[in-house]
Amino acid sequence: MKKYPQLIDPVEGRIYMNNNGSTYRCTRRIDSETAVMVRETDGWTLIAHRVRRLENGSIEWDCSTGGHWPGGIPRTGPGSVFIRKEDKHGD
């Protein structure tokens, strides 16, 4: 029988691998099951509710709220999945 993923208490400053393959940094623990998580590649920020650790060591959450890019745009830079328009053509 498959075991249901265990709830974890997110730790501020720790980087977690999400089951979708993205890494997220916990920037603020709200309570024992809820945390502000920031995707490392682009800065996407959300509140993760009921964070769970899967058997493979990755995490996921039951739901998220408040997802946004601070400043309204994705962060770009090394490792970013976004290409600025001017970079696309070498401008």
Side-chain angles (χ1 to χ4, degrees), residues 6 24 33 36 43 53 79 83 88:
Q6 178 182 349
Y24 287 82
E33 299 174 355
V36 177
R53 183 172 312 280
I83 300 172
K88 190 174 183 180

Side-chain angles (χ1 to χ4, degrees), residues 29-55:
R29 180 183 172 275
I30 296 171
D31 62 37
S32 65
E33 299 174 355
T34 309
V36 177
M37 305 293 274
V38 178
R39 189 167 49 206
E40 292 283 285
T41 55
D42 60 6
W44 180 253
T45 301
L46 54 84
I47 299 172
H49 301 271
R50 297 184 58 83
V51 181
R52 298 177 180 276
R53 183 172 312 280
L54 284 69
E55 289 180 350

